[in-house]
Amino acid sequence: MDSENRVVLNVGGIRHETYKATLKKIPATRLSRLTENLANYDPILNEYFFDRHPGVFAQVLNYYRTGKLHYPTDVCGPLFEEELEFWGLDSNQVEPCCWMTYTAHRDTQETLAVLDRLDLDTDKPSDEEVARKFGFEDDYFNGSLNWWQKTKPKLWSLFDEPYSSQAAKVIGVISVFFICVSILSFCLKTHPDMRVPDIKNVTVRTAANTTAWTLDKKATNAHEAFFYIECVCNTWFTFEILIRFIASPNKFLFLRASVNMIDLIATLSFYVDILLQKFASHLENADILEFFSIIRIMRLFKLTRHSSGLKILIQTFRASAKELTLLVFFLVLGIVIFASLVYYAERIQANPHNDFNSIPLGLWWALVTMTTVGYGDMAPKTYVGMFVGALCALAGVLTIALPVPVIVSNFAMYYSHTQARAKLPKKRRRVLPVEHVRVGPPIAAAPKRGGANAMNRNPGPKMGNDAPNSTTNGTSKGSDMPSNKITGF
């Protein structure tokens, strides 16, 4: 009969009815191996009960019926994957029309993983987390932490985590202050009003064939006060980086960090500069060595430890590396093409004031035109050259405008996730695991009326000391209630 081939599935309180042959379409799955011996089979209702998500199961059952697995938009991606794993299905069988919506949660998980690595949380970690971070968990659980194991995390939090305590905030403010003073001193000492002329006496011979002395300004040097300012600032930077290196949980990872490498090189450049001024100032090209002191301006990246916005901005450029590479590639391609075109376009007509004497000169013009800068130092004079210049400007606008929305969307994505994580409760409620009900021994079947042997094997409860066990007619003395009902109760 048709009713024998049908099966009823109760999933989360919603009953579904289908054919057994439908469930056999996808072998080696949970629904293809349904038997009446399963614990979740109810022989009274003749149905199988599963305490799972009913909304996802509707799409699962539809997959058995049609062979197409669609993603329900009202559930989260990880929940959908967990349900598919329970039913024994592969998540890669999702239809292409739902694939973009389904895989959106994977991008979200990758973004959250990146934000976890950026360490944007300002909450103080627990003692157990600190011990695990520094590798002291065994001594922490044993209660045998020594003085250095207790002091090292405090020093690290004080100098590397500005939001861990009030003292760490004070250290962070001092560090930012010295960074700003160092950058300001580096910039001001190049101003002409802030420099001292280097005057020397020079012997010259006059027209009367006599010698005379004159003053000659050979060069200008920065004011001496800037040297003392840099000494104070670099003393703090040296002290800070030494403390952070000594108290770091992992010395190798500390040296690999780009911000720490910049800080270390900038600090060393100051001492190298002092040595060069003392021992190599007489060299002819000694002034060129001052160019390497520009690395000190890179200390501005140290502010990323104090600003989550700068961390997000740097991560945005990292995530948009492919788009930025594509932008540079198209710019280089357009620059070479339009530089060649404008070079030959300016030579077609008579042009006595031709600015494009070679293609390398045209590369500079194409660069400033495509980037919409337009210095005006070079410009086409012929009509054909003007037409090429118009095409170059339009191509530059389109080339730059196309990758910009991707970069903006990446920044908005990281920033929105950061704001959402800041509003989440730090301590999630712990859900207890499901305790399975222990199945007891089966209850004996109720005896038939009049069965004396059955009544003797399953005596009813005694109602008192004088209550007999049973009688041959299947009733208890002094009571009208049949004994079989008492036994089955």
Side-chain angles (χ1 to χ4, degrees), residues 21-128:
T22 302
L23 303 180
K24 299 294 183 181
K25 290 182 179 181
I26 306 177
T29 58
R30 186 179 293 272
L31 294 179
S32 64
R33 298 192 295 263
L34 292 179
T35 60
E36 296 182 356
N37 296 328
L38 296 177
N40 56 350
Y41 175 71
D42 190 348
I44 299 177
L45 299 177
N46 191 23
E47 66 180 19
Y48 296 88
F49 177 76
F50 296 94
D51 192 15
R52 307 299 298 186
H53 196 283
V56 177
F57 182 74
Q59 300 298 331
V60 171
L61 187 57
N62 184 68
Y63 180 42
Y64 281 88
R65 291 168 176 167
T66 62
K68 296 181 178 180
L69 181 60
H70 294 277
Y71 172 67
T73 57
D74 58 341
V75 298
C76 190
L79 173 62
F80 183 68
E81 290 181 345
E82 291 177 2
E83 292 297 314
L84 292 183
E85 183 179 1
F86 174 80
W87 299 111
L89 301 178
D90 187 7
S91 60
N92 292 326
Q93 300 300 321
V94 176
E95 290 297 305
C97 59
C98 301
W99 186 254
M100 289 297 296
T101 308
Y102 162 64
T103 56
H105 76 280
R106 298 182 181 176
D107 299 334
T108 302
Q109 290 175 339
E110 293 178 358
T111 303
L112 295 177
V114 170
L115 295 179
D116 289 336
R117 291 197 300 269
L118 292 179
D119 194 16
L120 299 176
D121 294 332
T122 58
D123 289 344
K124 184 178 181 180
S126 62
D127 295 338
E128 183 178 352

Side-chain angles (χ1 to χ4, degrees), residues 404-426:
V404 168
V406 179
I407 300 174
V408 174
S409 64
N410 286 337
F411 181 81
M413 177 183 63
Y414 285 116
Y415 187 78
S416 60
H417 280 87
T418 303
Q419 297 298 318
R421 290 173 78 251
K423 297 177 182 178
L424 287 175
K426 301 304 178 184

Side-chain angles (χ1 to χ4, degrees), residues 179-246:
I179 290 173
C180 296
V181 170
S182 176
I183 300 301
L184 186 62
S185 172
F186 180 80
C187 297
L188 288 180
K189 71 179 183 179
T190 60
H191 195 276
D193 297 337
M194 301 290 181
R195 299 183 68 85
V196 178
D198 185 10
I199 300 176
K200 293 184 178 181
N201 291 329
V202 179
T203 303
V204 295
R205 187 170 294 277
T206 63
N209 200 15
T210 59
T211 59
W213 297 91
T214 182
L215 299 178
D216 183 22
K217 186 177 74 171
K218 184 178 181 181
T220 58
N221 298 323
H223 196 278
E224 191 177 1
F226 291 108
F227 173 76
Y228 294 109
I229 292 175
E230 289 188 355
C231 286
V232 174
C233 293
N234 282 273
T235 301
W236 168 260
F237 295 142
T238 305
F239 171 74
E240 183 185 25
I241 197 171
L242 285 177
I243 294 297
R244 293 178 62 240
F245 177 76
I246 294 173

Side-chain angles (χ1 to χ4, degrees), residues 342-378:
V342 76
Y343 170 73
Y344 289 104
E346 290 292 284
R347 297 168 63 90
I348 293 177
Q349 300 178 2
N351 186 9
H353 302 289
N354 186 10
D355 295 330
F356 302 91
N357 296 322
S358 63
I359 293 180
L361 290 176
L363 294 176
W364 167 252
W365 169 85
L367 174 63
V368 298
T369 303
M370 291 193 70
T371 54
T372 67
V373 177
Y375 288 113
D377 54 346
M378 299 175 63

Side-chain angles (χ1 to χ4, degrees), residues 131 136-147 149-150:
F136 302 152
E137 58 268 21
D138 294 336
D139 295 332
Y140 172 77
F141 290 118
N142 295 332
S144 58
L145 293 175
N146 55 30
W147 174 83
Q149 290 176 336
K150 295 179 181 179

Side-chain angles (χ1 to χ4, degrees), residues 186 189-190 195 265-266 269-270 272-273 276-277 285-298:
F186 180 80
K189 71 179 183 179
T190 60
R195 299 183 68 85
I265 295 174
S269 67
F270 171 74
V272 173
D273 191 18
L276 292 176
Q277 289 181 2
N285 296 324
D287 294 338
I288 301 178
L289 300 175
E290 294 183 0
F291 174 77
F292 295 99
S293 63
I294 199 173
I295 192 67
R296 300 175 199 173
I297 206 76
M298 304 297 289

